[in-house]
Amino acid sequence: MTLTWLGHACFMLESYGFQALIDPFRNIPGLPDVCTEADAVYCSHGHSDHAYTDEVTLTSGKVNPFTVRELDTFHDDQGGALRGRNTVRAFTSEGLTVVHLGDLGQPLTAEQLAQLGRCDVLLLPVGGTYTIDLHQAKAVADAVNPHVVVPMHFREGGVGLEILTSREEFLAQYPVDRIRRYPGNVLDIHENMTKQVAVLALKGGQKTPKA
């Protein structure tokens, strides 16, 4: 299974040649709007920085290898009164589970953690303001206890929503030897991955469509 970060909270998750696009965006400073092909698209909520599907071309005919479980959560810490609801999704294929938290706005309850179950890779918002803040994000990651944490939804180097905090501020909560910095934006997910916080490189909001 491979995970490609397209910026902000957008990822392409691929298994057995099937590409699942998660939270495509538009109007993110420093990034082009997402324009790509995919076999399926999933959006955690209806805001344009997570649900821009106008330039996503859906292909057809492939069998979806992912078992997808959904967890209903809130986009804020006031029961959805400020920003509504948010869907957490767990994608399972090849015996591995990747969880995308979307714009999670409050810590997960014990019941929600039990419903979520095992997680190998956690895609975690860390920039605050619209989501849990960096300290809450660390607590959520500790509670979920994945092998790999991938920070998302932050501002760094002039890229990202101006009001968000940086990824480096989140990373400062971890020992240096826990952090692994990758030269690109693609992560190869396998069962023997070591405990790590995976820092993927910013490559922009486009993925070259498959021929």
Side-chain angles (χ1 to χ4, degrees):
M1 189 188 304
T2 60
L3 181 75
T4 302
W5 183 43
L6 303 184
H8 198 49
C10 182
F11 295 84
M12 186 76 83
L13 188 59
E14 183 170 351
S15 179
Y16 299 113
F18 187 98
Q19 294 183 312
L21 181 67
I22 309 169
D23 279 20
F25 60 81
R26 68 171 177 173
N27 296 332
I28 298 299
L31 293 173
D33 296 346
V34 170
C35 177
T36 191
E37 291 182 354
D39 298 299
V41 60
Y42 298 88
C43 301
S44 60
H45 59 290
H47 295 165
S48 63
D49 61 327
H50 292 261
Y52 179 59
T53 60
D54 290 8
E55 295 189 64
V56 177
T57 301
L58 289 178
T59 57
S60 61
K62 295 180 183 176
V63 176
N64 190 341
F66 292 104
T67 298
V68 183
R69 291 181 292 111
E70 297 183 347
L71 182 64
D72 187 34
T73 62
F74 294 114
H75 195 329
D76 54 60
D77 60 0
Q78 298 185 34
L82 293 179
R83 301 185 185 92
R85 310 188 83 85
N86 172 73
T87 301
V88 170
R89 287 189 175 89
F91 299 84
T92 301
S93 181
E94 303 177 41
L96 300 165
T97 297
V98 176
V99 173
H100 187 286
L101 292 180
D103 268 5
L104 182 67
Q106 63 183 54
L108 295 172
T109 65
E111 181 181 358
Q112 289 172 328
L113 287 167
Q115 291 174 353
L116 197 59
R118 172 184 166 177
C119 172
D120 296 289
V121 178
L122 181 67
L123 310 180
L124 176 71
V126 302
T129 304
Y130 302 115
T131 69
I132 50 177
D133 64 27
L134 60 93
H135 304 296
Q136 292 171 319
K138 174 66 162 54
V140 167
D142 290 346
V144 175
N145 193 30
H147 282 95
V148 182
V149 173
V150 180
M152 65 177 188
H153 207 277
F154 54 83
R155 180 169 174 82
E156 186 168 284
V159 177
L161 300 173
E162 291 87 346
I163 200 169
L164 302 182
T165 56
S166 73
R167 177 169 55 182
E168 292 302 319
E169 291 174 88
F170 170 75
L171 294 175
Q173 302 176 100
Y174 287 88
V176 175
D177 60 1
R178 176 67 67 86
I179 300 168
R180 182 169 178 183
R181 298 179 186 271
Y182 290 81
N185 64 332
V186 179
L187 182 67
D188 181 24
I189 302 171
H190 54 85
E191 62 182 6
N192 297 318
M193 298 186 78
T194 58
K195 277 271 191 179
Q196 63 182 272
V197 180
V199 178
L200 302 181
L202 283 168
K203 293 292 186 180
Q206 292 182 304
K207 180 179 174 66
T208 302
K210 297 177 71 176

